[in-house]
Amino acid sequence: MVPAVNASDVLVIGSGAVGAAIAYFCALRGLSVAVVDSGAVGSGTSSKCEGNLLVSDKEHGPELDLANYSLKLWQGELAEHSHLWEFENKGGIIVASQESSMASLQRALRVQREHGIRVEEIDVAELKRYEPNVTDEAVGAAFYPDDSQVMPMLVTAHLMRMASEAGAHMWPYTEVTGLLRSGDEVRGVITARGSFWADAVINAAGPWGGQLARLAGVNVPVEPRRGYVLVTEPMEPKIFRKVYAAEYIDNVGSSDGGLQASPVVEGTPAGSVLIGSSRERGGFDTTFNPEAIGRIATNAVKLFPFLAETRVLRYYFGFRPYVPDHVPVIGPDPRAPGLWHACGHEGAGIGLSVGTGKIISQAVAGEDTDLSLEVFSPTRFGELTEVAA
Amino acid sequence: MSKENSVRQKHCDVVVIGAGPAGLAAASQASGAGAQVLLIDQSLRPGGQFWRHASEEHDADPGRWHHGWNTYTQLAKVLERAIGTGRVEHLSGHHVLTGERTGTGLGLTVQPVPELADGVRGLITVEAPAVVLCPGAYDRQLPVPGWTLPGVMAAGGVQAFIKTQGAAPGRRAVLAGTGPFLLSAAASVIQAGGEVAAVCEAADLTGWVPHGVAAALVPSKGLEGAEYISLLAKHRVPYLRRTAVTAIHGEQRAEKVTVSRLDRHGAVVAGTEKHFNDVDLVGLGWGFVPQSELVVQFGAQTRIDIDGSLIGVVDTRQHSSVEGLYLAGEITGVAGATAAVAEGRIAGYAAAWMAGYRVRGARQAAAAQRDKILRANHRAFARAMHTAHPLPAGWESWMQEETTVCRCEEVPYHRIRESTETLSAQEPRGLKGTTRTGMGWCQGRICGAAAICLAKSSGDQRKEQAARAVAKRPLAAPVRLSDLAESRAQTRPLKAP
């Protein structure tokens, strides 16, 4: 069980993909690492998502840079483990079915090219070669050869295993109830299983990251944004890439609190098709929203008409850690020295986990980081103006 | 085709889900009290799994394979009359997909069972102030090497086959597992003209001794058991205690069975193997799993029963923690058909009362008291039975590296071990995420009990969470995307409860 005094160089709060990646890269560097989670490993957002490694849905500069950096890690230093988490460099296709969404798509392409994203505009004939079963309504599309997919639970579980093998200690079912403070400084956490002291306390609590920051009295406005995913019966491959509608880019980039739904459809190695996605803000609301399911289904059938007759076996939802400017929060918090943040990745946390983990590990070790942390700074939102309930 | 695909809506006073013993009793009681009842059931004919009907060509002597057939015919008669007067609508051949609180009552979505639908499509939404949920139970299974071979069935499946076909599904059988149901299944095989090579009971039966009083409260169960025992004795069927089938062999189908002695903890005692050759039917029965996904969908309170099952928590009126939701039968604890009928009547009456139909005469009061006594006695008997017939804690000892655990996703035992040992999968959800156990067609109905054991969830609260995770099926049956699109786009979002 927990020793009377548990002290480590790094304490990570949250064992989702981001927390596991931080633990792995820190442990690899020789830092002593403890990870606490209120539930089992990866039992939050990482087990309720799709496992996207996307460059195609990013419009914002810093997020794109992090996506590119992460992709290099997935395909480079982590490539030997690819089979463990079903890494598949399948490529992504964005389909525009209206002239207006084609305009959004072209706008996104321009920014993406500036940031070095590989993308090709394709016509309807080419689209049909890639995806013979896609809707006849399509007016144009873009192909992203670097878009990839992983099995998110396997990523999380294996990163945590690799972290453990490098010396990290995992404490599941260990909820953080308070912080150990010394003046403004954060020196560790209090849990039901005892206190954990650390030089660096890292908030990798995903959608719960905002609550955790409030424990320290600092403002990191991460909020849950709910997204549903439908899972179909297994079938012979009929969808070959990650295919989504151009409206998805607008939704991801939107800050609207209401329900938004746009189709994101992809096959999986196991044969079932995953169908997303919806976005809605409203706290950690677990009551069923039939409208979300209905709209996802409607949209998916529009994109792939054959899906009308396909059966859905189940659906699930997860809470994506949303921040108002859609850029993750990564780095030390000068308002509470000792506290670091690595949260707010919204729907991209799986893909961005390894880049986040690596730059955090560099910064914690006092080295230069491969990407500047400045744009991810937690202080960019200003101070806490209201006291949370 | 708009007619075919349109979403239909229904309203009534009381919805009864399931037309087995509990559901039939609930429907008859609620309609008798004056409520307008909608009875929804998967099968075309009422009776449920327990009173499962013979297929038409074997229907000459319908009661032959059944217990309590008189109760069935009485309930069926009441139902028929109530259908005649329009008090009950019997929506047969339909699944309930989802159940939820609507803010004003309880809402369901229902779809035709595709194999029975005859081209009818589209979902039906139902709203009512009261729902009596009587979903019954299915066989609890444990994996064993060779259990995926043709010729290996759940013990309940053997019984169901005989009820529908009037013949045994094999020539020479071994029945194995735990509980008196094995005797009943063995007796059916013999009566259907099959041979039973052995009945293997994992328990040593000494567990019954402290519960003699409980058993004596239900003399009918004792008599039934005695009949089976004497039938088996007459046919010289060995009844092997503290013994389990530990491997099933065969090329194309089951041909041979290995049985082993178990120690006090239910683990295999090495060197005690015995073989039964020339066996083409293996019936495995480890008790029953109540069908709990709708209880979980509604968000009703649950607990782990003495047999390890996830069951709904109810008060004396069979009312759950969710306003208007009543539960009856196996979903409140596996206790058999007599208890289910008593609970169904209690629940049906209470549901009608809640919907505003409040009649109570001296006759009903007396009958209600009798039902409560029946329920108490049968529940006490069930507790005694479950205590005497636990799942053998050491069952993992007969697993081999390659033994399939999850049949739908073909997950072998060694992958599960790797996941629990190196990937910190300490709960069924982690196991599912890392190995796909329970992700396939059956949505964990077959492998769920094993997954809960293998994930080594410990502690009461953790066990309940694990069982709830396995029972969490947001759709109780597969549904076409086009149907989801139609129905869900039209219903308004629900308010938080």
Side-chain angles (χ1 to χ4, degrees):
Chain A
M1 293 317 284
V2 185
V5 177
N6 192 310
S8 55
D9 299 330
V10 176
L11 176 92
V12 184
I13 302 166
S15 68
V18 172
I22 294 168
Y24 170 65
F25 283 107
C26 286
L28 213 55
R29 230 158 248 282
L31 295 166
S32 63
V33 179
V35 183
V36 294
D37 196 298
S38 61
V41 170
S43 57
T45 304
S46 297
S47 59
K48 291 161 182 162
C49 60
E50 291 170 279
N52 293 334
L53 315 182
L54 298 187
V55 293
S56 55
D57 68 340
K58 313 275 185 301
E59 272 192 273
H60 298 271
E63 206 196 359
L64 258 184
D65 294 339
L66 184 59
N68 263 333
Y69 175 67
S70 297
L71 193 64
K72 286 200 186 79
L73 293 174
W74 289 110
Q75 293 175 326
E77 95 177 72
L78 293 168
E80 60 177 302
H81 310 292
S82 289
H83 64 287
L84 294 176
W85 40 63
E86 298 176 3
F87 178 90
E88 214 188 341
N89 181 206
K90 66 201 316 190
I93 294 177
I94 302 185
V95 179
S97 300
Q98 291 161 17
E99 293 305 333
S100 61
S101 49
M102 193 65 210
S104 296
L105 180 56
Q106 279 162 339
R107 179 170 45 82
L109 292 184
R110 274 195 299 278
V111 182
Q112 288 168 333
R113 287 208 174 102
E114 280 165 27
H115 285 268
I117 300 290
R118 292 202 295 155
V119 54
E120 234 181 282
E121 211 176 314
I122 55 176
D123 62 19
V124 174
E126 273 175 293
L127 171 63
K128 284 280 184 183
R129 272 199 297 281
Y130 281 118
E131 294 292 344
N133 300 306
V134 80
T135 172
D136 294 334
E137 311 276 297
V139 296
F143 177 64
Y144 297 79
D146 290 322
D147 274 0
S148 304
Q149 186 181 3
V150 287
M151 211 304 206
M153 268 305 282
L154 287 173
V155 163
T156 308
H158 279 285
L159 281 175
M160 193 52 81
R161 172 188 59 78
M162 287 153 60
S164 301
E165 284 166 9
H169 286 279
M170 170 71 210
W171 303 97
Y173 308 106
T174 307
E175 189 175 358
V176 172
T177 55
L179 298 176
L180 296 164
R181 305 296 293 263
S182 162
D184 282 346
E185 279 180 49
V186 172
R187 307 291 299 276
V189 300
I190 302 163
T191 77
R193 297 226 239 166
S195 296
F196 292 76
W197 297 84
D199 296 332
V201 172
I202 302 176
N203 171 14
W208 294 273
Q211 292 176 7
L212 199 102
R214 281 198 290 274
L215 271 185
V218 295
N219 179 31
V220 175
V222 178
E223 265 187 70
R225 198 179 184 194
R226 184 163 74 165
Y228 277 97
V229 179
L230 312 185
V231 186
T232 73
E233 60 190 311
M235 60 177 92
E236 290 301 309
K238 283 187 180 161
I239 297 170
F240 303 92
R241 317 279 168 168
K242 181 172 188 86
V243 184
Y244 54 101
E247 301 84 58
Y248 179 72
I249 309 179
D250 289 337
N251 285 356
V252 170
S254 153
S255 302
D256 195 326
L259 173 67
Q260 297 178 299
S262 54
V264 181
V265 183
E266 65 194 302
T268 65
S272 38
V273 172
L274 300 183
I275 302 171
S277 73
S278 61
R279 308 260 171 164
E280 57 188 318
R281 261 160 55 209
F284 291 99
D285 180 7
T286 58
T287 52
F288 177 51
N289 183 354
E291 199 192 342
I293 298 291
R295 291 196 19 204
I296 292 171
T298 306
N299 290 337
V301 171
K302 272 192 205 144
L303 195 56
F304 283 101
F306 82 88
L307 285 173
E309 293 302 304
T310 301
R311 284 165 296 183
V312 174
L313 292 188
R314 62 195 173 95
Y315 65 78
Y316 55 86
F317 61 77
F319 294 106
R320 321 286 170 230
Y322 160 91
V323 278
D325 61 4
H326 308 284
V327 175
V329 183
I330 304 168
D333 196 325
R335 299 165 296 184
L339 180 65
W340 297 60
H341 303 283
C343 52
H345 296 74
E346 197 159 350
I350 304 297
L352 303 182
S353 63
V354 293
T356 304
K358 183 141 187 187
I359 55 177
I360 281 270
S361 75
Q362 290 164 341
V364 167
E367 299 168 16
D368 288 340
T369 51
D370 290 339
L371 291 181
S372 164
L373 292 181
E374 209 170 313
V375 284
F376 303 109
S377 167
T379 57
R380 68 182 191 264
F381 306 102
E383 290 311 311
L384 213 52
T385 48
E386 54 187 315
V387 178
Chain B
M1 302 298 149
S2 63
K3 187 176 161 281
E4 278 186 352
N5 263 335
S6 65
V7 179
R8 288 177 290 156
Q9 293 189 329
K10 286 181 183 287
H11 296 269
C12 60
D13 297 320
V14 175
V15 180
V16 176
I17 302 172
L24 284 179
S28 79
Q29 201 71 12
S31 62
Q36 191 64 40
V37 175
L38 178 66
L39 173 63
I40 307 171
D41 189 62
Q42 296 186 24
S43 303
L44 293 177
R45 297 172 67 183
Q49 292 295 327
F50 187 72
W51 292 315
R52 184 192 271 261
H53 290 268
S55 59
E56 269 169 37
E57 65 267 35
H58 301 105
D59 212 5
D61 179 11
R64 175 156 181 225
W65 307 104
H66 289 282
H67 288 283
W69 191 250
N70 286 340
T71 310
Y72 169 71
T73 50
Q74 279 165 20
L75 287 169
K77 234 178 266 164
V78 174
L79 178 68
E80 215 169 291
R81 262 203 311 273
I83 292 171
T85 62
R87 207 26 76 62
V88 172
E89 182 186 352
H90 183 194
L91 193 56
S92 63
H94 280 71
H95 287 299
V96 176
L97 289 181
T98 65
E100 64 230 1
R101 290 181 257 195
T102 62
T104 52
L106 298 172
L108 305 169
T109 42
V110 179
Q111 80 170 346
V113 174
E115 305 82 60
L116 306 174
D118 211 15
V120 178
R121 298 181 54 151
L123 304 187
I124 304 166
T125 62
V126 180
E127 199 175 316
V131 170
V132 185
L133 178 58
C134 314
Y138 50 89
D139 286 273
R140 179 157 64 184
Q141 308 202 38
L142 287 179
V144 57
W147 73 309
T148 54
L149 287 168
V152 182
M153 300 172 78
V158 172
Q159 186 88 299
F161 186 96
I162 294 169
K163 284 177 185 175
T164 51
Q165 304 300 316
R171 198 175 31 76
R172 188 163 185 266
V174 168
L175 277 303
T178 192
F181 185 74
L182 294 178
L183 299 175
S184 160
S188 295
V189 171
I190 292 169
Q191 285 161 347
E195 187 190 335
V196 175
V199 176
C200 302
E201 167 58 63
D204 62 11
L205 304 189
T206 55
W208 279 101
V209 176
H211 300 282
V213 177
L217 288 172
V218 187
S220 61
K221 291 274 183 191
L223 274 177
E224 213 179 291
E227 281 169 29
Y228 297 142
I229 298 268
S230 83
L231 182 70
L232 296 187
K234 202 173 109 198
H235 287 80
R236 301 186 185 286
V237 175
Y239 184 41
L240 308 172
R241 294 169 197 188
R242 216 191 252 186
T243 302
V245 163
T246 49
I248 302 157
H249 317 271
E251 290 294 320
Q252 301 300 316
R253 53 171 299 121
E255 293 166 6
K256 183 179 139 181
V257 167
T258 303
V259 307
S260 303
R261 289 275 294 165
L262 303 180
D263 66 16
R264 276 191 307 129
H265 308 292
V268 173
V269 179
T272 59
E273 293 83 6
K274 273 207 292 199
H275 303 286
F276 289 91
N277 295 315
D278 191 27
V279 167
D280 65 346
L281 172 63
V282 184
L284 302 173
W286 296 104
F288 296 90
V289 183
Q291 200 118 245
S292 54
E293 60 259 1
L294 286 172
V295 175
V296 173
Q297 281 188 22
F298 275 113
Q301 203 187 333
T302 51
R303 67 177 175 86
I304 298 292
D305 200 16
I306 190 165
D307 64 344
S309 299
L310 184 74
I311 59 167
V313 174
V314 289
D315 65 13
T316 58
R317 301 162 302 150
Q318 303 295 128
H319 189 252
S320 74
S321 66
V322 170
E323 180 76 17
L325 180 65
Y326 297 81
L327 312 174
E330 314 294 44
I331 188 59
T332 66
V334 174
T338 308
V341 168
E343 290 180 359
R345 278 197 294 252
I346 294 168
Y349 188 85
W353 183 276
M354 191 195 162
Y357 299 88
R358 301 182 174 181
V359 285
R360 170 148 286 201
R363 209 161 56 90
Q364 282 98 337
Q369 291 302 358
R370 279 199 302 278
D371 282 333
K372 286 176 183 164
I373 291 166
L374 259 183
R375 173 177 69 183
N377 291 348
H378 278 261
R379 289 249 159 251
F381 179 86
R383 271 195 299 280
M385 179 185 78
H386 293 316
T387 309
H389 294 277
L391 272 191
W395 67 267
E396 249 189 275
S397 59
W398 65 64
M399 294 296 278
Q400 294 167 8
E401 294 293 290
E402 293 302 327
T403 306
T404 301
V405 174
C406 169
R407 304 170 69 129
C408 302
E409 295 287 339
E410 298 176 355
V411 184
Y413 177 59
H414 70 85
R415 286 207 37 222
I416 304 238
R417 288 263 307 272
E418 282 153 25
S419 181
T420 53
E421 284 164 17
T422 67
L423 295 180
S424 9
Q426 290 145 326
E427 46 163 10
R429 268 196 61 216
L431 213 53
K432 186 172 171 180
T434 53
T435 66
R436 305 194 60 79
T437 300
M439 265 196 199
W441 261 110
C442 87
Q443 291 288 291
R445 288 179 176 88
I446 296 172
C447 61
I452 291 168
C453 298
L454 295 172
K456 308 251 183 320
S457 312
S458 54
D460 285 351
Q461 200 193 342
R462 205 76 69 67
K463 267 190 196 144
E464 194 202 337
Q465 279 170 3
R468 275 188 87 105
V470 166
K472 190 175 173 188
R473 299 181 189 103
L475 297 168
V479 56
R480 272 187 311 250
L481 269 159
S482 53
D483 289 336
L484 271 184
E486 296 254 344
S487 77
R488 292 312 192 176
Q490 289 176 21
T491 46
R492 76 268 168 274
L494 302 173
K495 290 188 198 93

